[in-house]
């Protein structure tokens, strides 16, 4: 009888680790860097600005997350079914496209334009048209797959939001509102 319980326990454990799931990682830092105030950091800001001018980014948003893939039994990019980043546009000064990019490693809360790290321009979301205040969702599946591919144990990763087409958008930060803060979610295959 003991053996029967042991075998049943093993099957239950295998079933639990094989089942898909929904995960919301912990955000460590949300901030932005501004080319026009290149020595200033904005960690405690209620807003996160993404803007561009004449084809060049002028403010970029940095969302750094703690890596918990290994503790969630995620060791391969193929295990990621989908991933979304939900943002709340608090102000749209000029409508345009926003794109998310992958950045390996954490961004410090003291980041400025001068000391920011370049994001991986090869790993991004599709552009999202932001034209009015409200909630928006970006498909960041490729970014999370790249984060898993890069490291599955304790290596933080960052999502960088970059404006295109002269867009100027202010998103709410986690300091502004718990219910409107940026939220990353990903789902695994069953």
């Amino acid at each position: 009888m003991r053996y029967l319980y042991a075998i049943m326990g093993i099957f239950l454990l295998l079933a639990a680790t094989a089942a898909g799931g929904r995960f919301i990682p912990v955000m460590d830092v949300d901030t932005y860097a501004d080319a026009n105030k290149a020595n200033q950091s904005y960690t405690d800001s209620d807003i996160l600005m993404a803007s561009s001018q004449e084809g060049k980014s002028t403010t970029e948003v940095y969302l750094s997350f703690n890596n918990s893939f290994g503790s969630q039994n995620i060791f391969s990019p193929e295990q990621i079914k989908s991933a979304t980043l939900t943002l709340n546009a608090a102000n749209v000064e000029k409508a345009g496209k926003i794109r998310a990019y992958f950045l390996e490693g954490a961004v410090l809360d003291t980041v400025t334009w001068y000391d920011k790290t370049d994001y991986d321009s090869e790993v991004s979301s599709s552009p999202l048209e932001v034209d009015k205040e409200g909630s928006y969702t970006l498909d960041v599946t490729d970014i999370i797959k790249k984060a898993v591919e890069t490291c599955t144990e304790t290596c933080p990763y960052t999502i960088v939001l970059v404006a295109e087409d002269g867009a100027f958008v202010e998103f709410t930060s986690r300091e502004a509102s718990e219910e409107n803060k940026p939220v990353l979610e990903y789902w695994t295959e069953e």
Side-chain angles (χ1 to χ4, degrees), residues 88-158:
N88 186 61
N91 180 40
V92 179
E93 195 167 304
K94 185 166 187 285
K97 293 183 175 116
I98 302 293
R99 189 184 303 257
Y101 291 90
F102 172 74
L103 174 62
E104 183 178 351
V107 169
L108 299 177
D109 56 3
T110 57
V111 70
T112 68
W113 189 265
Y114 281 136
D115 60 17
K116 70 183 180 77
T117 306
D118 289 335
Y119 53 84
D120 184 341
S121 61
E122 299 296 314
V123 183
S124 70
S125 69
S126 295
L128 176 71
E129 184 71 32
V130 178
D131 57 0
K132 62 183 178 179
E133 295 176 6
S135 182
Y136 290 88
T137 301
L138 277 162
D139 180 344
V140 293
T141 305
D142 290 343
I143 293 170
I144 299 306
K145 286 184 176 203
K146 182 64 175 184
V148 172
E149 178 186 314
T150 303
C151 179
T152 59
E153 298 291 337
T154 68
C155 311
Y157 56 94
T158 300

Side-chain angles (χ1 to χ4, degrees), residues 3-190:
Y3 296 113
L4 181 59
Y5 288 130
I7 290 172
M8 286 176 49
I10 290 171
F11 282 122
L12 288 173
L13 181 62
L14 290 173
T17 58
R22 173 181 169 255
F23 302 96
I24 300 174
V26 175
M27 186 186 321
D28 189 38
V29 171
D30 67 341
T31 190
Y32 69 96
D34 186 340
N36 296 316
K37 296 178 183 172
N39 286 319
Q40 190 167 342
S41 64
Y42 296 93
T43 295
D44 295 328
S45 179
D46 289 349
I47 55 134
L48 302 167
M49 285 198 301
S51 62
S52 64
Q53 212 170 26
E54 297 175 6
K56 293 185 180 180
S57 180
T58 53
T59 58
E60 296 175 353
V61 174
Y62 297 90
L63 307 172
S64 258
F65 295 90
N66 293 328
N67 180 333
S68 53
F69 298 126
S71 65
Q72 297 162 346
N73 291 321
I74 301 171
F75 299 102
S76 167
E78 289 76 31
Q79 289 177 265
I80 301 297
K81 181 179 179 180
S82 64
T84 60
L85 177 65
T86 303
L87 303 161
N88 186 61
N91 180 40
V92 179
E93 195 167 304
K94 185 166 187 285
K97 293 183 175 116
I98 302 293
R99 189 184 303 257
Y101 291 90
F102 172 74
L103 174 62
E104 183 178 351
V107 169
L108 299 177
D109 56 3
T110 57
V111 70
T112 68
W113 189 265
Y114 281 136
D115 60 17
K116 70 183 180 77
T117 306
D118 289 335
Y119 53 84
D120 184 341
S121 61
E122 299 296 314
V123 183
S124 70
S125 69
S126 295
L128 176 71
E129 184 71 32
V130 178
D131 57 0
K132 62 183 178 179
E133 295 176 6
S135 182
Y136 290 88
T137 301
L138 277 162
D139 180 344
V140 293
T141 305
D142 290 343
I143 293 170
I144 299 306
K145 286 184 176 203
K146 182 64 175 184
V148 172
E149 178 186 314
T150 303
C151 179
T152 59
E153 298 291 337
T154 68
C155 311
Y157 56 94
T158 300
I159 296 176
V160 182
L161 302 177
V162 178
E164 301 175 355
D165 303 332
F168 188 107
V169 180
E170 295 178 347
F171 296 103
T172 55
S173 74
R174 64 184 180 165
E175 285 78 22
S177 167
E178 185 65 28
E179 63 273 359
N180 290 325
K181 70 180 183 179
V183 176
L184 173 63
E185 297 177 86
Y186 53 87
W187 293 263
T188 56
E189 296 284 358
E190 294 187 22

